[in-house]
Amino acid sequence: MLQWVRSILYIIQATVAMPVIGLLFAPWAMFSKTGAYAACKSYAAWCMWTARWMIGLRCEVRGTVPDGEVLVAAKHQSFLDILMIFHALPRAKFIMKREILWTPVIGQYTKRMQMIAVDRGKRGKAISTMMEDVHAGRIEPGQIVIYPQGTRVAPGAHLPYKVGTAVLYKQLNQVCVPVATNAGYFWPRRGLFRRPGLAVVEFLDPIQPGLSKDAFVRQLEQTVESASDALLAEAGWRADA
């Protein structure tokens, strides 16, 4: 019962902190992408710091964090892994649902940071547009973050890896850095309960350009799923729990 109370109090303060931090940084963010990134990194840091002492949830980033122009293909289980990846990467550019653009505070900041918004069911068109913008110099260099399964996936659930990541890997001709996580065990995709423990985001060995689409998807899926399963086991998650 105590952990439930702590979880709810944590969610309330994190929800309030978002517009407060957004408004505090707004004068800087209006004129500078650096200001927009600083605001969102501050919010991510705040959420991770308060999680540590309010709900007993520590956050740890493992592996080598890329700082150049790379494709980051990440396991997505929770809002927490978004915060951790964004805070770790120097200039993350997430491929995200277009609806987020209309979210108060978040939407304005995602536009300023040139996040890549896609319509549901039209990812192919969005990728083509993005590639045109990249080549034309309208999108500044950074780490493009994509979720190969297209949505949050609960621990133990199996969703196929979509071809969009392979298309992007082929067209960008860049190194792809897989990312594993166990965040969904502690911070579920639905519900209010937050479990104490150690949430991990792990940047894995990069996949070099040049693989065929099928070979790339196979390697990516095997790498990310096996590493994520290992992190879940480390955290104490069991499929029958």
Side-chain angles (χ1 to χ4, degrees), residues 97-223:
K97 298 181 294 185
R98 182 166 294 278
E99 298 93 295
I100 294 176
L101 293 177
W102 315 119
T103 304
V105 183
I106 294 178
Q108 297 306 309
Y109 276 90
T110 56
K111 290 177 184 177
R112 191 74 181 111
M113 293 182 291
Q114 294 183 318
M115 299 296 173
I116 303 156
V118 300
D119 292 321
R120 289 183 181 273
K122 297 181 180 178
R123 179 166 293 191
K125 180 179 179 181
I127 289 174
S128 298
T129 301
M130 185 201 70
M131 293 302 303
E132 292 173 4
D133 290 344
V134 168
H135 293 312
R138 290 188 289 266
I139 295 180
E140 293 180 358
Q143 301 82 44
I144 297 175
V145 183
I146 188 169
Y147 295 116
Q149 292 168 297
T151 187
R152 290 174 296 174
V153 181
H158 298 282
L159 265 70
Y161 278 50
K162 298 184 177 181
V163 71
T165 305
V167 172
L168 202 54
Y169 163 80
K170 201 76 173 177
Q171 292 186 1
L172 288 172
N173 195 35
Q174 292 177 349
V175 167
C176 175
V177 178
V179 179
T181 189
N182 62 6
Y185 176 62
F186 304 99
W187 184 316
R189 58 199 292 263
R190 294 190 180 92
L192 302 176
F193 187 75
R194 302 290 183 262
R195 191 186 305 272
L198 178 63
V200 178
V201 159
E202 184 174 5
F203 290 85
L204 306 168
D205 291 340
I207 300 174
Q208 298 299 321
L211 295 178
S212 68
K213 290 180 183 178
D214 290 342
F216 168 75
V217 171
R218 282 196 303 270
Q219 183 172 340
L220 177 65
E221 182 171 359
Q222 181 179 8
T223 300

Side-chain angles (χ1 to χ4, degrees), residues 26-59:
W28 183 16
M30 285 174 60
F31 301 101
S32 168
K33 290 185 180 69
T34 300
Y37 271 98
C40 294
K41 284 181 179 288
S42 296
Y43 178 71
W46 173 265
C47 288
M48 291 187 288
W49 178 67
T50 53
R52 187 182 185 96
W53 59 267
M54 288 190 73
I55 55 177
L57 177 57
R58 294 173 293 130
C59 299

